[in-house]
Amino acid sequence: GIQVEQSPPDLILQEGANSTLRCNFSDSVNNLQWFHQNPWGQLINLFYIPSGTKQNGRLSATTVATERYSLLYISSSQTTDSGVYFCAGVYSGGGADGLTFGKGTHLIIQP
Amino acid sequence: NAGVTQTPKFRVLKTGQSMTLLCAQDMNHEYMYWYRQDPGMGLRLIHYSVGEGTTAKGEVPDGYNVSRLKKQNFLLGLESAAPSQTSVYFCASRPGLAVTDTQYFGPGTRLTVL
């Protein structure tokens, strides 16, 4: 299966700061998604982004499929952005296979 | 439209006990998945189903069984629970095999095995 590496593993920022989270894949993937897991454990879909760039408010994501990486940008951070951010994808030759997740980036936004 | 729901939300078992986790989706999705999440880790796939009556093994299937008797439900069973199965379990569903299909996740079940 594919390997998914996320960096940095931990990030502590002050409210209002910007951040970039990175996700690298070992092989070609489909169905690339970014998730936010809030402090209560709920997984929230942020982006479905197999290629290109998408924006949703203060969050945006870019995937460069040919180079096997994706970036998540968070601008003007708020304390509610705290939690763990996961990227995940399905190996492009895997058919109905489930998502392979990275270990996540643990983000703490301090007031 | 409730999306993906999981029952129960929390459960404590003793070693050797059995239980079944229920996942239900009302979106008429073909594919359903069970994952587990351990501390400091991302989710790992246990089993999945590509349609009613079908199941397949994922990355960490040992100690679990699944069934998909109805399209909307996917059951995860632990026949003889072990402390190593203490985890948070997430269910997900996906419309089909189109490359644009995203997975939708339930709220999770927190299981502790003593």
Side-chain angles (χ1 to χ4, degrees), chain B:
Chain B
N1 190 337
V4 180
T5 58
Q6 294 183 230
T7 309
K9 290 184 171 54
F10 304 94
R11 186 72 186 268
V12 178
L13 291 178
K14 294 182 180 178
T15 297
Q17 287 184 318
S18 63
M19 77 162 295
T20 300
L21 282 66
L22 170 65
C23 176
Q25 52 95 3
D26 60 1
M27 298 174 283
N28 201 35
H29 286 176
E30 289 295 329
Y31 300 152
M32 297 185 74
Y33 303 84
W34 275 107
Y35 296 86
R36 62 178 285 173
Q37 184 181 25
D38 299 310
M41 301 283 288
L43 281 67
R44 292 182 294 167
L45 183 66
I46 305 172
H47 285 281
Y48 64 100
S49 167
V50 300
E52 185 177 319
T54 73
T55 63
K57 293 180 180 180
E59 179 186 355
V60 288
D62 293 342
Y64 305 95
N65 56 74
V66 288
S67 64
R68 184 122 180 252
L69 299 179
K70 294 183 179 180
K71 186 176 183 178
Q72 64 268 33
N73 295 336
F74 194 27
L75 305 178
L76 177 71
L78 287 73
E79 289 186 349
S80 180
S84 61
Q85 294 178 303
T86 294
S87 190
V88 180
Y89 292 85
F90 288 94
C91 175
S93 70
R94 173 182 171 188
L97 255 189
V99 294
T100 55
D101 287 345
T102 60
Q103 290 192 23
Y104 298 85
F105 283 80
T109 294
R110 187 173 296 275
L111 175 66
T112 301
V113 182
L114 303 176

Side-chain angles (χ1 to χ4, degrees), chain A residues 1-110:
Chain A
I2 60 172
Q3 305 299 316
V4 180
E5 292 184 3
Q6 291 187 244
S7 60
D10 301 283
L11 188 58
I12 301 174
L13 298 172
Q14 294 297 119
E15 203 167 20
N18 302 328
S19 59
T20 301
L21 282 57
R22 186 178 178 101
C23 179
N24 291 331
F25 293 87
S26 62
D27 208 330
S28 61
V29 298
N30 293 327
N31 306 81
L32 197 152
Q33 296 181 242
W34 281 96
F35 297 88
H36 176 214
Q37 188 167 41
N38 64 24
W40 296 270
Q42 184 182 10
L43 272 173
I44 301 164
N45 270 307
L46 295 177
F47 293 102
Y48 168 78
I49 185 161
S51 64
T53 298
K54 288 186 178 180
Q55 182 155 5
N56 184 1
R58 296 181 295 103
L59 274 61
S60 64
T62 295
T63 297
V64 183
T66 53
E67 297 188 22
R68 300 176 185 168
Y69 74 88
S70 184
L71 302 173
L72 178 69
Y73 306 97
I74 305 173
S75 64
S76 304
S77 299
Q78 300 176 358
T79 55
T80 51
D81 294 329
S82 296
V84 184
Y85 290 80
F86 291 104
C87 68
V90 178
Y91 171 53
S92 62
D97 287 356
L99 290 164
T100 297
F101 283 75
K103 293 186 177 181
T105 291
H106 187 196
L107 177 64
I108 297 174
I109 305 298
Q110 297 178 333

